[in-house]
Amino acid sequence: MEDPWVEHRLKMVETQIISRGITDERVIAAMKKVPRHLFVPAEMVDYAYNDEPVPIGEGQTISQPYIVAYMTEALHLQPEDKVLEIGTGSGYQTAILAELVKEVYTVEIIASLSLRAQEVLGKLGYRNIYFKIGDGTFGWEENSPYEAIMVTAAPARIPEQLEKQLKPGGRLIIPVGSAFQDLYLVTRERDGFKRKKLLPVRFVPLITTH
């Protein structure tokens, strides 16, 4: 059956993503493919492809499409990479990552969101995603190290535990701050960590148990 939302997706990619400078062909292809409307609550489906974050319940949101594409492109992902995502949320960003890499390990502290994401991603046929319900600030150490880590909610500072779970040369992208936030790209180098501020952003706070 033809997906009636294809046109909306292609328009989203053209007007919100390519026009703002995203050039990674694999990221663009993933954004064209993943059915964003399946990851929002039924009553919000008409807003799924808008140029804005959309509420998904529990005080959480699905990020603006451009920010999803921007953060994904910034990680320079390769097909054999193992990636950690902190904040499964709706599962939309998880699906984008799963299109691009070998394995995605995703952690969500709100059980109801994780379970819904697991259901949607399962129905879509993803078999390279591994889920954990818990405090994302601790990462998922058993499966570390990772080539890349993406954090989709903002802590007050960059959690050391996450930096430590990067492979040498690995990259972490994370929003940091409370009232005002900046997106950072952290790279693990031989003698420590290089932290680069990218742009101002607005994310929900990262919920922790400590």
Side-chain angles (χ1 to χ4, degrees), residues 29 37 44 55 63-64 67 76 98 107 150 158 173 182 197 200:
H37 61 281
M44 302 302 293
S63 292
Q64 175 191 10
I67 290 294
H76 296 291
V107 182
M150 179 182 286
I158 299 171
I173 195 159
D182 289 296
K197 192 188 291 188

Side-chain angles (χ1 to χ4, degrees), residues 139-179:
W140 196 343
E141 197 170 1
E142 307 91 280
N143 300 298
S144 67
Y146 302 94
E147 277 85 12
I149 299 175
M150 179 182 286
V151 184
T152 60
R157 62 190 66 82
I158 299 171
E160 275 183 41
Q161 277 292 99
L162 297 183
E163 291 184 323
K164 288 176 183 170
Q165 289 175 32
L166 284 174
K167 278 187 177 175
R171 297 147 323 273
L172 160 68
I173 195 159
I174 182 169
V176 181
S178 46

Side-chain angles (χ1 to χ4, degrees), residues 175-208:
V176 181
S178 46
F180 299 97
Q181 300 167 7
D182 289 296
L183 192 63
Y184 281 83
L185 183 66
V186 180
T187 307
R188 183 166 201 165
E189 300 185 336
R190 197 175 299 173
D191 55 351
F193 297 93
K194 177 184 167 192
R195 300 176 184 92
K196 180 183 178 186
K197 192 188 291 188
L198 299 176
L199 75 165
V201 288
R202 188 90 189 236
F203 279 79
V204 295
L206 183 65
I207 303 168
T208 73

Side-chain angles (χ1 to χ4, degrees), residues 8 28 33 39 60-61 76 87 90 135 158 161 166 185 199-200 205-206:
H8 295 271
I28 290 167
K33 178 182 175 184
F39 293 89
Q60 305 300 299
T61 59
H76 296 291
S90 69
D135 187 333
I158 299 171
Q161 277 292 99
L166 284 174
L185 183 66
L199 75 165
L206 183 65

Side-chain angles (χ1 to χ4, degrees), residues 50-199:
N50 286 11
D51 187 16
E52 61 190 347
V54 177
I56 57 168
E58 305 285 356
Q60 305 300 299
T61 59
I62 180 173
S63 292
Q64 175 191 10
Y66 170 70
I67 290 294
V68 171
Y70 181 92
M71 290 175 69
T72 307
E73 182 176 69
L75 288 175
H76 296 291
L77 299 170
Q78 302 302 314
E80 290 302 306
D81 283 354
K82 179 165 62 169
V83 176
L84 174 65
E85 179 191 38
I86 304 302
T88 314
S90 69
Y92 175 70
Q93 175 72 78
T94 322
I96 298 291
L97 293 172
E99 289 286 335
L100 301 171
V101 302
K102 188 175 182 180
E103 294 174 339
V104 180
Y105 292 83
T106 184
V107 182
E108 172 58 58
I109 199 166
I110 301 171
S112 60
L113 291 183
S114 178
L115 294 171
R116 184 175 183 276
Q118 289 180 45
E119 185 182 345
V120 175
L121 292 162
K123 282 180 181 171
L124 288 171
Y126 290 101
R127 298 290 176 264
N128 61 336
I129 303 171
Y130 304 90
F131 299 90
K132 181 177 183 178
I133 296 169
D135 187 333
T137 56
F138 299 112
W140 196 343
E141 197 170 1
E142 307 91 280
N143 300 298
S144 67
Y146 302 94
E147 277 85 12
I149 299 175
M150 179 182 286
V151 184
T152 60
R157 62 190 66 82
I158 299 171
E160 275 183 41
Q161 277 292 99
L162 297 183
E163 291 184 323
K164 288 176 183 170
Q165 289 175 32
L166 284 174
K167 278 187 177 175
R171 297 147 323 273
L172 160 68
I173 195 159
I174 182 169
V176 181
S178 46
F180 299 97
Q181 300 167 7
D182 289 296
L183 192 63
Y184 281 83
L185 183 66
V186 180
T187 307
R188 183 166 201 165
E189 300 185 336
R190 197 175 299 173
D191 55 351
F193 297 93
K194 177 184 167 192
R195 300 176 184 92
K196 180 183 178 186
K197 192 188 291 188
L198 299 176
L199 75 165

